Amino acid sequence: MRTFHKNSIVMSVELLSRGGSGSDFDFGSIKLWVVDGYPVVQFIPAATEDHTKQNLTVDRMVSDGQLHDIQVTLNNSEVKLQVDGSTTHSRRYYAVLESRGTVILGYSLDQIDRQHGFVGCMQGIKIQGQRLDAIAVMESDDAVGLLLDGCQLVDHCSENNICEHGSVCLSDWDGIHCLCENNHYEGKACHFAKYAKNCEEYYRMGYRTSGIYLIDVDGVGPLNHAYVQCEMGGHLESGRSRRRAVQGGVTRLEHNFELNTTVRAPWLPDVQYLLNYRGMSRAHLAQLTRISSHCEQYLEYGCQNAPLQLSNRTWFKSTTGEIVDYIGSHISGSCSCPPDTACDGEHCYCDLNRDGYLYDKGYNRERKQLPIMEMTFIQTQRAGIAHMTLGPLRCWGSSAQSADRSVTFTQAGIFLQLRPWLTGDLRLNFKTHGINYLLLYQGAEKSGGQEKDVFYVIINSAYSIRVHFSRGTHLVSRDVQTPTRLSEGNWHSLVLEWDLYNLRISLDSTRIMMDLPDGFWSRESDEEEGQEESTSLYLGSLPYTLHTRDLGLDGIQGFTGCMYGLVYNGSPVDLPSLVGSSVSEITKGCMSYCWPNPCQNGGVCQENWVSYTCRCSNPWAHMGNNCEIDITKDAVTFSGLPGASLQFDLTYKQPKALSATVVIGFRTFQTEALLLYMHDHLSNFVQLELADAHTIIVTFNDERRIIREAVRTDDVLNDGEWKQVVAENYYNFTRLMVEGHSKVIEVRRGRLKTYTLNPFINSDQQTVFISRPAAPSIHAYVGGVKGGASTTSALVGCIRGVRVGNFVFTLQDAATSQVNETLVAPVCDKGCREMACHNNGICHEKWRDGQFQCDCDKSGFSGRRCEIEPSVLVEGSTVVRHTFQLPLTERFSSSERLSFRFKAQPRKPEAANKHVVLIYIASSKNKDFVMIKFLESGKIRLETNQGSTTFRMDVEGQFEDGQPHDFSYIREGSKMNVKVSRLDQFGNAVSILM
């Protein structure tokens, strides 16, 4: 056997053990392993007997690539291992052992062992003394993945060990395979860290849940991963002159210094505290503060007659060993003293000669001097006491990718030209509202033919980007999907990382690992090296001189939106510094005109980066640049009485009213009603009406012919809720739209040029008959017409938001000017809201200022809101007696039903031990009765006699509480049910007892 692998399975065979009687048996196995380069036999006689398991080994290294002779023998329930003449034996098992199946070479059927398959060669194989014919084995179905090559084994790991980060190199037959340590890295060479560098990076990837995270502060560097606490979301960022709210991820690290530790006292010596931060070395901490844009740590020194004396008797040290002798002030020897007191002349409050308990506290925010690793306290001569608190280290932001250093591409086709991307990773953050945009492109500045070496990134859909590399004859292209939309104006993170073997693409939290063809990054010629020198990286778009045919960029536009945090070639790029006054289409900063949303009434803001556009939620009723005008707020109520309509003169206000778009909103319970009628002096007209519960009809004239067209909806139009009707001027035709349904009427409106007494050839379609004035004019009627000159009923209900073209009808002003709110009221508020009528009363809508009328006939109650119940007040010995006779069909029924409502006050002391009868119903002919009463405990009892036997049912509870209750008793044959329900103030059941 020859191998270079230090850990692999060589052989396995299953065993069968039999007891003395032959009836009992168990299963076991023999496995030959290479473990850390040495041969090991794992001998398991019986799987159920752990104490019988044995491991045999010989002190011979067998993973040295040399040929070794290995023999494993099972004889008389004893295993022998012999390696190059050295032998060892197992203890003999007490039962008979037999081979149970096939000997497996180089592999194991156990799931846990499969990753340790043997890589190497075997020759001279004998099983049970029989030599295996290698050629026959190769040609059989038993051989999987074997080569017959004379054992041409090469130690690829010793020749070219590419495995990084302590990963294990395995020499496969034709190359290298790396086992990444603890699965913390990935890629063929275990080059790529699986974890973000800090919590800020996790936040930019889309993680929003605070908690414990694994980070790798130096990425592909040598430092190990560590667990940290991430605080995700908004936090206050404090500077020396201002505080602002920022969004991001804060990395929080705890240490071993306890809160409020006593550091000065008469009994204490001089003390020095060495701090440890959980799972982080000094190198980890220095790297974390280096890559973060902001860090802070809270310090608090509380004292009573124990001076602080920074620099002289108190000082701290940072990770670099630098002395830190301030608290919150950044000035050596000083504390953070408020401007109004200035610590009363001292550097710190605790340096004042006072007996009271004082505090010096503040945040240290110099990143290079954080975190505090060491604290020294030299005792003073005073007999005072002092306590010290040190908060956790908190870091956020990115020193290389500051969100404050952003630029905005305000117009497609504008680009930034940079030096080419040659080394290291590439990182970029972007946000936009569009798709089919170019983010990055790299190619030669001038090209007489098709590009050989091209790299680009495009946003090719709302949820994906495409990363494309073509290098020589090699092509690597991949679409990367993300679960969040890329076109909603939120920041997104793009990271491209590579080594010689893999390209890793990260888009927010999505990661894709791609294998690169052999030699992908190698230069093929000096010509290619010269071409690289003339190559540029373009952000946002590319110049028209570049030849991009056949590159998959058809339909791709220049980017509009914001970018920041470009890092490549191992260095960050300050994008704002590249923006000059000559390129006005790229601006410094990222000002979102849609945040906060300027669009009112539910309008959606469309970001234009130098401006914005509001898309109104109801474009027919909302107007203005910010959708701030809502014509639906102008609503009136029509009574339907004679004269209940509004008239408007549009002669000069909207002279094209009869051919313009008409918008009107209404609500009613009628099945038919005239909504709007407009006409001119020549008999041209337009009319909108509700024809039935599902139909709106538009009527107008096309010269001498009357056109009546309808749109029918699935929804009910007369349910008292607001509906909107639009008769749009649609390319000189009319499109009638109602509740999502529409119909195009391909006939032009009007066009009568002269006045005639009977202008229409189909006058039977006419439903409004109004005399036309002689003078040129256009009049409009809303809710009906004057004098009742229509066969269609006037409206009983409300109308709002009437617009013809750009002219908006002022409905409430017109109603107020009539000085008769009985006909038309200048308001329309819904009166029949929830619980307007109590106790199942029926509400009739009157609108106006929220008026309604309750129908209480079927509820048994009275009052404006059916709130007054029919009842009788009884006290003590009061009895209400009622005699009734059952209908003949009910006298011999086996069912009974009784229900009533009661409200019982707590009983008086003299009746505490008595039963209180609520209702007693008795037959005048026999002993049948039904009685409901309160017992002494307050619970309710039903007693009933059904001819021969008295039955009792109790309902537990305390019902003499002054609250209303409903009682219900139902008997069907021998089955009885009693229910007591407690009611709220509106008569609704809130609890039920049975």
Side-chain angles (χ1 to χ4, degrees):
M1 179 191 81
R2 289 182 63 195
T3 186
F4 289 104
H5 277 214
K6 292 185 176 182
N7 295 279
S8 62
I9 187 166
V10 181
M11 179 273 296
S12 66
V13 62
E14 292 185 344
L15 300 178
L16 180 67
S17 63
R18 298 186 182 277
S21 63
S23 58
D24 298 329
F25 59 88
D26 203 347
F27 302 103
S29 64
I30 298 175
K31 296 180 181 179
L32 174 60
W33 287 83
V34 178
V35 179
D36 293 332
Y38 291 88
V40 175
V41 169
Q42 185 183 59
F43 177 37
I44 304 176
T48 59
E49 300 176 358
D50 289 340
H51 65 281
T52 65
K53 298 178 181 179
Q54 302 176 57
N55 286 340
L56 310 178
T57 187
V58 173
D59 190 15
R60 288 292 183 118
M61 174 70 70
V62 295
S63 62
D64 54 3
Q66 302 299 314
L67 191 63
H68 296 275
D69 181 30
I70 301 177
Q71 297 180 29
V72 178
T73 307
L74 173 64
N75 188 22
N76 293 327
S77 302
E78 179 183 345
V79 174
K80 180 178 74 172
L81 171 64
Q82 181 177 317
V83 182
D84 298 335
S86 298
T87 305
T88 185
H89 295 263
S90 72
R91 298 186 304 274
R92 177 171 293 173
Y93 186 61
Y94 66 87
V96 177
L97 294 176
E98 301 175 1
S99 172
R100 179 185 171 265
T102 306
V103 175
I104 302 175
L105 299 176
Y107 193 65
S108 172
L109 296 179
D110 293 342
Q111 183 72 30
I112 195 172
D113 299 336
R114 292 182 181 178
Q115 60 178 320
H116 301 291
F118 179 78
V119 178
C121 61
M122 299 181 188
Q123 63 184 48
I125 302 171
K126 290 183 180 180
I127 298 177
Q128 299 288 67
Q130 298 291 322
R131 179 181 293 273
L132 294 184
D133 184 344
I135 296 178
V137 171
M138 289 289 297
E139 294 176 348
S140 70
D141 295 336
D142 297 330
V144 179
L146 301 183
L147 296 175
L148 191 66
D149 65 349
C151 198
Q152 301 297 316
L153 187 62
V154 178
D155 186 4
H156 298 285
C157 289
S158 62
E159 294 182 355
N160 180 30
N161 187 350
I162 65 171
C163 302
E164 304 178 27
H165 298 110
S167 57
V168 177
C169 181
L170 300 179
S171 180
D172 291 337
W173 204 256
D174 57 353
I176 287 176
H177 176 66
C178 301
L179 290 180
C180 301
E181 181 186 13
N182 298 321
N183 206 30
H184 296 310
Y185 297 89
E186 60 184 353
K188 181 176 181 178
C190 302
H191 172 76
F192 304 94
K194 280 194 170 182
Y195 313 115
K197 294 182 179 180
N198 55 17
C199 299
E200 176 72 17
E201 191 169 305
Y202 273 121
Y203 186 88
R204 295 183 184 186
M205 292 168 63
Y207 293 87
R208 295 295 185 267
T209 303
S210 299
I212 303 298
Y213 286 76
L214 270 168
I215 66 170
D216 194 327
V217 291
D218 65 342
V220 300
L223 297 177
N224 293 328
H225 63 278
Y227 288 95
V228 297
Q229 173 76 30
C230 288
E231 300 171 351
M232 302 299 194
H235 59 277
L236 285 176
E237 182 177 279
S238 301
R240 296 183 179 179
S241 60
R242 63 192 178 101
R243 289 166 63 86
R244 62 171 184 168
V246 295
Q247 296 290 324
V250 178
T251 305
R252 176 189 174 109
L253 293 176
E254 301 287 350
H255 49 71
N256 61 337
F257 187 77
E258 295 184 2
L259 297 176
N260 207 34
T261 296
T262 302
V263 295
R264 283 198 171 98
W267 62 86
L268 285 178
D270 297 343
V271 290
Q272 185 180 71
Y273 298 93
L274 303 179
L275 277 63
N276 292 316
Y277 289 78
R278 184 177 301 166
M280 302 284 271
S281 66
R282 285 178 178 260
H284 282 91
L285 296 169
Q287 178 66 10
L288 176 63
T289 56
R290 187 180 301 117
I291 64 176
S292 303
S293 61
H294 300 82
C295 290
E296 68 179 18
Q297 196 165 19
Y298 178 75
L299 293 86
E300 179 180 294
Y301 181 84
C303 63
Q304 186 172 17
N305 200 26
L308 179 57
Q309 296 182 7
L310 285 167
S311 299
N312 296 324
R313 292 184 175 274
T314 304
W315 63 86
F316 318 115
K317 286 187 178 181
S318 67
T319 53
T320 61
E322 187 176 354
I323 296 294
V324 179
D325 55 356
Y326 57 85
I327 295 180
S329 70
H330 308 287
I331 300 175
S332 178
S334 300
C335 298
S336 180
C337 297
D340 56 340
T341 64
C343 295
D344 293 341
E346 291 290 346
H347 292 292
C348 300
Y349 277 122
C350 283
D351 292 333
L352 296 172
N353 188 17
R354 293 179 182 175
D355 294 331
Y357 202 87
L358 303 174
Y359 288 95
D360 285 299
K361 54 189 176 181
Y363 285 92
N364 284 10
R365 294 192 172 99
E366 289 292 338
R367 284 189 298 130
K368 296 180 180 179
Q369 296 181 338
L370 291 175
I372 301 298
M373 299 295 296
E374 183 180 309
M375 296 190 292
T376 301
F377 301 90
I378 306 300
Q379 301 300 320
T380 64
Q381 300 301 318
R382 298 183 186 179
I385 191 168
H387 303 88
M388 186 72 196
T389 291
L390 180 68
L393 174 67
R394 301 175 75 250
C395 293
W396 64 91
S398 171
S399 58
Q401 293 184 291
S402 174
D404 293 334
R405 306 299 295 168
S406 60
V407 295
T408 302
F409 294 77
T410 63
Q411 181 177 316
I414 304 302
F415 58 85
L416 290 175
Q417 183 177 0
L418 308 172
R419 55 193 175 91
W421 176 31
L422 303 176
T423 63
D425 305 334
L426 186 148
R427 297 171 181 266
L428 179 67
N429 296 277
F430 65 93
K431 71 175 180 178
T432 184
H433 285 276
I435 60 173
N436 296 325
Y437 282 170
L438 179 73
L439 286 175
L440 299 160
Y441 180 93
Q442 182 163 304
E445 296 179 24
K446 296 181 180 179
S447 178
Q450 178 63 45
E451 286 291 346
K452 269 184 91 175
D453 295 347
V454 169
F455 151 68
Y456 65 74
V457 180
I458 60 174
I459 304 173
N460 62 338
S461 79
Y463 291 93
S464 69
I465 65 169
R466 175 172 297 161
V467 178
H468 173 100
F469 282 90
S470 58
R471 189 170 175 85
T473 59
H474 301 302
L475 173 63
V476 175
S477 184
R478 184 68 178 267
D479 288 357
V480 182
Q481 302 285 334
T482 179
T484 57
R485 290 183 66 92
L486 300 174
S487 56
E488 287 191 338
N490 297 317
W491 284 113
H492 297 278
S493 170
L494 171 66
V495 181
L496 303 178
E497 305 162 274
W498 62 274
D499 64 1
L500 293 176
Y501 316 101
N502 299 107
L503 170 67
R504 187 170 77 171
I505 308 170
S506 301
L507 178 61
D508 297 337
S509 60
T510 302
R511 277 180 173 170
I512 299 294
M513 184 75 69
M514 299 178 61
D515 295 331
L516 296 178
D518 293 339
F520 183 79
W521 296 114
S522 62
R523 289 194 178 95
E524 296 180 355
S525 64
D526 294 338
E527 179 184 350
E528 185 177 341
E529 183 174 356
Q531 182 183 2
E532 189 174 81
E533 293 177 356
S534 65
T535 298
S536 294
L537 175 66
Y538 297 92
L539 261 68
S541 187
L542 42 85
Y544 68 90
T545 57
L546 285 180
H547 185 75
T548 60
R549 180 172 53 86
D550 300 329
L551 287 178
L553 293 177
D554 293 342
I556 300 302
Q557 311 169 55
F559 177 82
T560 58
C562 298
M563 294 185 185
Y564 81 89
L566 174 64
V567 178
Y568 75 116
N569 292 340
S571 302
V573 178
D574 184 33
L575 295 177
S577 66
L578 304 177
V579 177
S581 58
S582 60
V583 185
S584 60
E585 294 84 359
I586 303 178
T587 62
K588 298 179 181 180
C590 182
M591 176 62 70
S592 176
Y593 284 83
C594 286
W595 185 260
N597 187 0
C599 306
Q600 302 179 32
N601 296 306
V604 177
C605 185
Q606 176 180 309
E607 182 66 68
N608 300 328
W609 304 110
V610 291
S611 62
Y612 66 91
T613 302
C614 287
R615 298 198 303 269
C616 300
S617 60
N618 184 349
W620 305 111
H622 299 159
M623 304 167 66
N625 291 334
N626 294 339
C627 310
E628 71 277 10
I629 301 173
D630 183 3
I631 66 175
T632 64
K633 293 181 179 179
D634 186 16
V636 295
T637 303
F638 293 87
S639 65
L641 298 172
S645 65
L646 296 178
Q647 181 176 353
F648 296 87
D649 188 347
L650 306 182
T651 306
Y652 302 106
K653 298 176 180 177
Q654 182 52 278
K656 296 182 179 180
L658 297 178
S659 59
T661 295
V662 179
V663 180
I664 188 170
F666 73 95
R667 63 179 177 186
T668 185
F669 291 103
Q670 287 177 274
T671 55
E672 69 166 42
L674 182 62
L675 302 177
L676 175 70
Y677 183 80
M678 299 187 298
H679 71 93
D680 66 7
H681 64 293
L682 299 176
S683 298
N684 293 303
F685 74 95
V686 175
Q687 174 181 325
L688 287 172
E689 63 186 276
L690 172 68
D692 58 45
H694 297 272
T695 307
I696 292 290
I697 292 179
V698 60
T699 308
F700 58 88
N701 70 290
D702 171 25
E703 294 186 344
R704 299 191 61 200
R705 185 164 56 98
I706 294 177
I707 307 298
R708 282 178 66 87
E709 294 287 349
V711 168
R712 185 170 178 82
T713 70
D714 298 328
D715 301 324
V716 176
L717 300 176
N718 64 341
D719 57 359
E721 301 298 328
W722 284 111
K723 313 297 177 186
Q724 182 174 266
V725 179
V726 178
E728 182 188 11
N729 183 358
Y730 186 74
Y731 297 102
N732 287 326
F733 299 143
T734 296
R735 178 164 62 180
L736 183 62
M737 294 176 281
V738 185
E739 297 297 296
H741 297 75
S742 65
K743 182 177 184 179
V744 176
I745 307 161
E746 297 182 0
V747 179
R748 294 187 63 180
R749 303 184 211 165
R751 297 187 297 171
L752 286 175
K753 302 299 183 182
T754 59
Y755 176 82
T756 59
L757 184 61
N758 297 307
F760 304 121
I761 59 176
N762 55 340
S763 58
D764 57 312
Q765 299 294 312
Q766 191 173 0
T767 62
V768 177
F769 306 92
I770 294 180
S771 59
R772 272 52 176 176
S777 61
I778 299 177
H779 292 160
Y781 298 87
V782 179
V785 291
K786 61 181 181 179
S790 174
T791 59
T792 304
S793 302
L795 177 71
V796 179
C798 299
I799 283 182
R800 69 177 185 184
V802 181
R803 177 166 68 88
V804 176
N806 293 323
F807 177 73
V808 179
F809 290 29
T810 54
L811 301 175
Q812 292 179 350
D813 290 346
T816 302
S817 65
Q818 287 191 352
V819 197
N820 189 345
E821 293 190 9
T822 302
L823 299 178
V824 183
V827 64
C828 180
D829 293 333
K830 190 174 183 178
C832 287
R833 302 182 184 275
E834 186 177 3
M835 300 308 301
C837 300
H838 302 324
N839 301 300
N840 299 317
I842 300 174
C843 184
H844 294 288
E845 182 66 68
K846 298 298 183 182
W847 288 302
R848 297 180 179 270
D849 55 351
Q851 297 179 20
F852 63 93
Q853 181 177 344
C854 291
D855 182 355
C856 307
D857 291 346
K858 297 182 180 181
S859 68
F861 287 73
S862 60
R864 180 175 179 271
R865 306 181 66 179
C866 307
E867 74 278 14
I868 302 174
E869 59 181 327
S871 60
V872 61
L873 177 65
V874 295
E875 295 181 352
S877 59
T878 305
V879 175
V880 177
R881 182 170 181 174
H882 174 62
T883 301
F884 61 93
Q885 190 173 25
L886 291 174
L888 185 62
T889 56
E890 299 292 333
R891 295 179 185 178
F892 304 99
S893 172
S894 60
S895 64
E896 293 176 336
R897 295 177 182 268
L898 172 64
S899 62
F900 61 91
R901 180 170 297 179
F902 68 90
K903 183 190 298 183
Q905 302 296 334
R907 65 177 67 188
K908 297 178 180 179
E910 56 269 23
N913 297 320
K914 297 180 180 180
H915 291 190
V916 177
V917 176
L918 285 171
I919 289 181
Y920 178 73
I921 304 173
S923 172
S924 61
K925 294 186 177 180
N926 50 42
K927 297 181 179 180
D928 291 356
F929 71 89
V930 175
M931 180 169 59
I932 296 92
K933 60 183 179 180
F934 291 121
L935 302 184
E936 302 94 326
S937 61
K939 64 184 178 182
I940 286 182
R941 170 171 292 175
L942 166 77
E943 288 188 9
T944 178
N945 186 291
Q946 305 297 333
S948 59
T949 305
T950 299
F951 299 93
R952 296 181 178 86
M953 294 183 67
D954 291 348
V955 180
E956 299 292 338
Q958 181 53 254
F959 303 103
E960 297 174 283
D961 55 2
Q963 300 299 320
H965 299 80
D966 274 346
F967 179 93
S968 172
Y969 158 62
I970 300 175
R971 180 176 71 87
E972 297 288 347
S974 60
K975 296 181 180 180
M976 295 191 303
N977 178 273
V978 176
K979 180 173 67 176
V980 182
S981 304
R982 184 175 178 177
L983 309 178
D984 61 15
Q985 58 178 327
F986 304 116
N988 300 311
V990 294
S991 63
I992 300 174
L993 297 173
M994 303 177 68

